[in-house]
Amino acid sequence: MAQKKIRKAVFPVAGLGTRFLPATKAVPKEMLTVVDKPVIQYVVDEAAEAGIEHFVFVTGRGKGVIEDYFDIQYELEQMLRERNKNAELSLLADLLPTAGTASFTRQQVPLGLGHAVWCARDIVGNEPFAVLLPDMIMSSQKSCLKGMVEIYEQTGGNVLAVEECDPEMAHKYGIVGVGDKVGEGFKITQMVEKPAKGTAPSNFYINGRYILQPEIFDILETQERGAGNEIQLTDGMLALANQQDFAAYHFKGQTFDCGAKDGFILANLAFALQRGDIRPAIEGPLKDMVGRLG
């Protein structure tokens, strides 16, 4: 049976970005740039490559610049036209979502990822949807979400993206149990949030990409607060797993946590080295710096 198409994606962008203070006192963490694009643009591009048609941003106080970024800026475009900067005009046009395909709703209080997802319920409606954590940007030949959609088209239900970690580090992550193979992934047999050392069912951890059925909203609406006194998405998924199947897509590219300083710096280096217009200028100096590390 054909599955409902994944048309909508939710981007929880209400976080305060405390790991990046003082920069995030005035600039949303999602608008910090990796090379020359904001972090959020990489995540939206990933969703677009996977066929997403409607982009739903769950924002908070001080995040209005994200909405402005995904809008036309008439003064800037007029200046570019007057100066015949056609390449820059084309770049801005290519990045702009089609009118009516971006929605913004507010999470007035910071009650966790599960609550942020729940805030998008009326925009998403009664259909399956994707969730992409905006801190996590990925580098691969095929976008992570596109691979997840391919698994979803085979299995239906819910799909999580997973990667392998050092088994000794499994206690730091949300870990899944491995069942029968499905395409580039497998059926999930269990989910454990930060298992005690030596008890993890595998070394596959959830990496910040989800495809979920709309029944998750009813669960999140009445769910009690969990870790950190917040409504945790993981708790909601555990409850949903009692009713519906979950599968995993095994992502094999690189993931950078741009909410952390080290991940952000590594992302800038990795994406700069992928650019033919930038790599020649930085490759030599980078090698010199590495050489001086001894």
Side-chain angles (χ1 to χ4, degrees), residues 123-182:
I123 301 173
V124 171
N126 189 31
E127 59 182 281
F129 63 102
V131 178
L132 297 90
L133 299 191
D135 290 346
M136 315 301 289
I137 65 173
M138 299 176 178
S139 177
S140 60
Q141 288 188 333
K142 175 170 63 179
S143 82
C144 182
L145 187 60
K146 186 173 183 179
M148 294 173 67
V149 169
E150 291 172 358
I151 295 287
Y152 168 80
E153 290 171 346
Q154 298 175 60
T155 65
N158 307 271
V159 181
L160 310 179
V162 299
E163 296 181 53
E164 292 185 80
C165 67
D166 183 333
E168 293 297 315
M169 296 291 103
H171 65 283
K172 295 185 175 183
Y173 302 101
I175 301 294
V176 302
V178 180
D180 295 338
K181 182 175 174 59
V182 179

Side-chain angles (χ1 to χ4, degrees), residues 221-274:
E221 185 167 10
T222 58
Q223 182 175 296
E224 294 183 0
R225 299 188 189 188
N229 199 33
E230 296 179 337
I231 298 172
Q232 298 292 340
L233 182 61
T234 302
D235 294 340
M237 293 192 301
L238 286 168
L240 186 61
N242 293 325
Q243 310 166 19
Q244 298 178 355
D245 291 336
F246 275 73
Y249 169 64
H250 184 189
F251 177 66
K252 297 179 181 178
Q254 286 183 290
T255 298
F256 303 95
D257 179 1
C258 289
K261 297 179 182 70
D262 55 346
F264 179 74
I265 293 168
L266 290 172
N268 270 278
L269 291 173
F271 282 91
L273 289 171
Q274 292 174 16

Side-chain angles (χ1 to χ4, degrees), residues 41-50 132 138 143-145 209:
Q41 183 68 62
Y42 289 90
V43 185
V44 168
D45 289 347
E46 177 186 337
E49 183 183 336
L132 297 90
M138 299 176 178
S143 82
C144 182
L145 187 60
R209 299 290 186 268

Side-chain angles (χ1 to χ4, degrees), residues 104-118:
F104 297 81
T105 188
R106 279 212 173 191
Q107 181 188 23
Q108 286 92 343
V109 287
L111 290 179
L113 177 58
H115 182 259
V117 170
W118 178 79

Side-chain angles (χ1 to χ4, degrees), residues 15-142:
L16 298 176
T18 54
R19 290 185 292 175
F20 252 103
L21 287 170
T24 48
K25 179 181 178 181
V27 180
K29 61 178 180 175
E30 298 83 7
M31 293 301 295
L32 297 175
T33 56
V34 171
V35 188
D36 54 4
K37 292 195 299 186
V39 170
I40 188 62
Q41 183 68 62
Y42 289 90
V43 185
V44 168
D45 289 347
E46 177 186 337
E49 183 183 336
I52 294 299
E53 302 169 3
H54 194 150
F55 308 89
V56 183
F57 299 87
V58 181
T59 70
R61 285 179 57 81
K63 298 300 182 93
V65 68
I66 298 175
E67 190 167 352
D68 291 340
Y69 174 78
F70 288 106
D71 199 356
I72 293 172
Q73 191 177 86
Y74 293 100
E75 296 85 357
L76 172 61
E77 294 189 8
Q78 181 61 31
M79 181 273 291
L80 293 174
R81 289 190 189 94
E82 291 172 355
R83 299 183 182 182
N84 293 317
K85 291 186 175 291
N86 296 319
E88 289 82 357
L89 275 170
S90 296
L91 174 64
L92 293 178
D94 290 343
L95 296 177
L96 193 67
T98 304
T101 63
S103 297
F104 297 81
T105 188
R106 279 212 173 191
Q107 181 188 23
Q108 286 92 343
V109 287
L111 290 179
L113 177 58
H115 182 259
V117 170
W118 178 79
C119 287
R121 66 200 181 283
D122 288 336
I123 301 173
V124 171
N126 189 31
E127 59 182 281
F129 63 102
V131 178
L132 297 90
L133 299 191
D135 290 346
M136 315 301 289
I137 65 173
M138 299 176 178
S139 177
S140 60
Q141 288 188 333
K142 175 170 63 179

